[in-house]
Amino acid sequence: MSAPADPVVMIRDLHKSFGDNHVLRGIDVDVRQGEVVCVIGPSGSGKSTLLRCVNLLEQPDSGNVQVHGEELTDPDQDIDAARRRIGMVFQQFNLFPHKTVLDNCTVAQEVVLGRSRAEARAVALANLERVGLAERRSAYPTQLSGGQQQRVAIARSLSMDPSLMLFDEPTSALDPELVGEVLTVMRRLAEEGMTMMVVTHEMAFAREVADRVVFMDAGVIVESGPPEEVIGRPREPRTRAFLQRVLDPTHVPAE
C-alpha cells in the first residue's frame, strides 16, 4: 500500500487579525490531491479569511501556507506565479460587464499565461461546455441569470488550468432556484478529481460531495472529519448547536 501523497495545501499555525479582531487563531489544515474539503460555520467564524489566506489575497500575520510544496508566506515567493495554479470563485461573479462570456474567459489566459487568442478561445469554449454555457458564448453578463454568471466565473477559473479550486460561498448571492445549477457544476468537478476547498452554507452539498468537513467557530477549527461524522454525528456542542440552527431555522435554543 503506497503512502499518501503530500498535501496540495498545508496550513500551519495560521493567525490573522483585523485591528483588535483576531479572526484566525492558529489554524492547521491539510488538503490532499483530489480531496474536497468543505468549510462550514457561522458568519464571522473566519471561513472566508482562511480561504483568502490560501492564495494570499489576505496576508497572514503569522504561520505559513504551502501550496504544492511552495511556501506562499515566504517573502521571496513569486506570489503571482504561485497563484496561477489556484482558481478562485467568489460570492460575487466579478465578470467584466462590457465583455462577452467568451472574452471574460480568455482575457486572463492571454495576459497572464501568454496564450494566443485562438488557443485561449479553444480552452474557454471547452470550459464553457463543461459548465453548460457554450451556447451563451456571445452573451454579455447582464443578459445572464445569476446562476449562469457564476457558472461563467467557474469556467473562467478553469480556463487557467488550476490544480486547486477555492470556492468562497459561491451560491450565497443567488436566488434559491438558481443554486442547484452551480452546485451541479461543482459536483461534476469533484467527480473529475479536482482538488477543492469550499466555504459553504449548503449542508446537503457538503454532506454529499465533501471528503472532509471542517467546522470553524470564533477563528478556530472546532471539529473536522468525514461529513457523516461532522454533520451526521457531531461530537462538539458548538457544532451541534450550529447545525441545529442551520438545518432547523425554526429551532429556538433553550435558555
Side-chain angles (χ1 to χ4, degrees), residues 28-222:
D28 295 320
V29 177
D30 289 349
V31 183
R32 298 195 176 277
Q33 181 72 42
E35 193 175 27
V36 178
V37 174
C38 284
V39 184
I40 65 173
S43 296
S45 59
K47 309 182 301 294
S48 292
T49 300
L50 171 61
L51 211 64
R52 292 171 68 86
C53 283
V54 173
N55 62 0
L56 263 62
L57 288 176
E58 297 289 354
Q59 182 69 45
D61 297 331
S62 63
N64 61 65
V65 177
Q66 290 187 22
V67 178
H68 296 293
E70 298 181 2
E71 188 175 336
L72 271 61
T73 39
D74 183 337
D76 297 325
Q77 177 62 249
D78 183 343
I79 297 303
D80 289 337
R83 281 184 184 141
R84 289 173 194 169
R85 304 179 71 183
I86 306 173
M88 186 152 186
V89 177
F90 300 88
Q91 297 177 30
Q92 302 300 328
F93 322 123
N94 299 322
L95 301 177
F96 293 114
H98 61 289
K99 292 184 179 294
T100 65
V101 163
L102 185 60
D103 287 342
N104 264 282
C105 295
T106 59
V107 62
Q109 293 186 67
E110 295 176 50
V111 172
V112 177
L113 300 182
R115 287 175 175 160
S116 68
R117 178 143 181 81
E119 182 183 7
R121 285 173 65 90
V123 171
L125 282 170
N127 284 301
L128 287 169
E129 188 73 47
R130 287 171 81 180
V131 302
L133 285 173
E135 77 284 354
R136 302 306 307 273
R137 70 192 75 173
S138 299
Y140 288 88
T142 55
Q143 298 172 310
L144 304 178
S145 70
Q148 289 172 326
Q149 290 185 63
Q150 191 63 292
R151 285 152 61 197
V152 172
I154 294 172
R156 176 182 58 188
S157 286
L158 292 173
S159 294
M160 300 297 286
D161 297 332
S163 54
L164 167 67
M165 286 286 288
L166 309 177
F167 293 87
D168 185 9
E169 296 275 18
T171 60
S172 66
L174 301 179
D175 292 334
E177 67 269 20
L178 302 177
V179 168
E181 64 190 66
V182 174
L183 295 182
T184 296
V185 170
M186 294 171 65
R187 281 189 193 92
R188 197 172 303 132
L189 291 179
E191 290 166 1
E192 292 171 4
M194 176 64 74
T195 308
M196 297 160 60
M197 287 186 74
V198 183
V199 170
T200 185
H201 60 275
E202 302 288 347
M203 293 302 118
F205 174 81
R207 189 192 289 265
E208 175 191 348
V209 177
D211 297 295
R212 188 153 39 93
V213 173
V214 172
F215 172 67
M216 289 183 65
D217 192 17
V220 300
I221 293 176
V222 176

Side-chain angles (χ1 to χ4, degrees), residues 207 223 226-236 240 243:
R207 189 192 289 265
E223 191 165 349
E228 60 270 20
E229 293 180 7
V230 176
I231 298 177
R233 300 184 303 276
R235 299 186 311 271
E236 300 296 327
R240 290 197 294 270
L243 290 168

